[in-house]
Amino acid sequence: MQIDKDMAALLDALLPQVPFDGWTQTSVRNALASIGRHRDDAVLMFPNGAGEMIESAFALMDQHMAEEAAAADLAAYRLPARVRAIIAIRLEQTRGNKEAVRRAVSWLGLPMHAPVAARITAATVDAIWHAAGDTSADFSWYTKRGILAAVYSATLLYWLSDHSEGDENTLHFLDRRLHDVARIGKIRKTLSTRYGRLLPRRPGRTVPAPVTPQR
């Protein structure tokens, strides 16, 4: 999801309203007023309700994260270090809106909202890998994103309860979780050998056939 300039301005104004009025039309009306637009325009925004608000807000966070990661020039770092740096950027950027994120996570945690939660997580994880320079197109496309989804989700939940300065405790937690990312190559090789033929193929991509062990 690409967020244009006008919607970005609204979402940036909306996030500070959420701790007071939640992901609601009231917050949207107040956000519109804060940027000089008419409150009544709220009825035209986010027709699908809170889920659309949250998904749009997180898409904007993904854009901000990717832009700062590109400016940071992380190419000299190894892949796990790039991933760590990008997640750290995300946490720093959203620190001032932690309560809005907390309310979003609570809403997304309800069983009926699982499809929206899955889309948001997948989009963020994909944005992290793209920002880290990942260009995989084979079986590793699935394994990398699956592993990082678990790492990122756990880190986000930890961060919501972290009161340490500069998210220091969360970053230590992330470092421990990223040991899994460092093992991606080994996991990929094992799973590709065992299950590669069982996975659906991405459009226009090929999945390598598993290797038959020599006797």
Side-chain angles (χ1 to χ4, degrees):
M1 180 188 298
Q2 189 68 24
I3 305 298
D4 64 28
K5 184 178 179 179
D6 289 342
M7 180 58 73
L10 174 57
L11 290 167
D12 283 336
L14 173 63
L15 286 167
Q17 304 295 331
V18 172
F20 302 101
D21 294 300
W23 293 94
T24 65
Q25 283 291 302
T26 299
S27 291
V28 177
R29 286 194 293 271
N30 292 336
L32 286 168
S34 73
I35 58 175
R37 295 175 59 180
H38 202 287
R39 289 174 178 270
D40 291 345
D41 288 348
V43 297
L44 305 175
M45 307 295 173
F46 313 110
N48 294 318
E52 186 176 1
M53 293 182 208
I54 294 170
E55 191 165 8
S56 298
F58 276 62
L60 181 60
M61 293 175 197
D62 291 344
Q63 287 180 205
H64 288 328
M65 175 187 69
E67 289 164 2
E68 186 169 338
D73 190 14
L74 303 173
Y77 294 92
R78 293 175 63 86
L79 182 60
R82 293 200 299 272
V83 169
R84 182 199 191 273
I86 293 163
I87 295 177
I89 286 170
R90 175 57 166 267
L91 297 178
E92 182 178 4
Q93 287 180 335
T94 53
R95 191 180 301 150
N97 292 309
K98 181 178 280 193
E99 184 57 33
V101 174
R102 189 193 317 279
R103 290 196 175 211
V105 169
S106 295
W107 189 93
L108 293 167
L110 297 176
M112 71 282 285
H113 301 148
V116 181
R119 282 201 308 271
I120 290 173
T121 300
T124 297
V125 167
D126 205 41
I128 292 169
W129 276 122
H130 280 299
D134 176 61
T135 58
S136 61
D138 57 5
F139 185 85
S140 66
W141 190 92
Y142 297 94
T143 58
K144 284 180 179 180
R145 279 150 182 79
I147 291 171
L148 186 56
V151 170
Y152 173 74
S153 297
T155 301
L156 180 63
L157 291 174
Y158 188 99
W159 174 76
L160 288 173
S161 300
D162 183 14
H163 301 289
S164 63
E165 185 175 355
D167 304 320
E168 181 180 2
N169 290 343
T170 298
L171 293 175
H172 287 319
F173 177 88
L174 175 60
D175 287 335
R176 295 192 294 273
R177 302 289 76 76
L178 282 175
H179 284 298
D180 293 335
V181 176
R183 294 169 54 228
I184 281 175
K186 183 181 295 185
I187 294 170
R188 180 192 63 185
K189 184 179 294 185
T190 300
L191 293 179
S192 182
T193 298
R194 294 180 181 177
Y195 306 118
R197 285 180 177 168
L198 300 180
L199 283 176
R201 299 189 178 191
R202 295 183 67 201
R205 309 288 188 174
T206 58
V207 177
V211 178
T212 302
Q214 298 296 319
R215 294 184 179 276

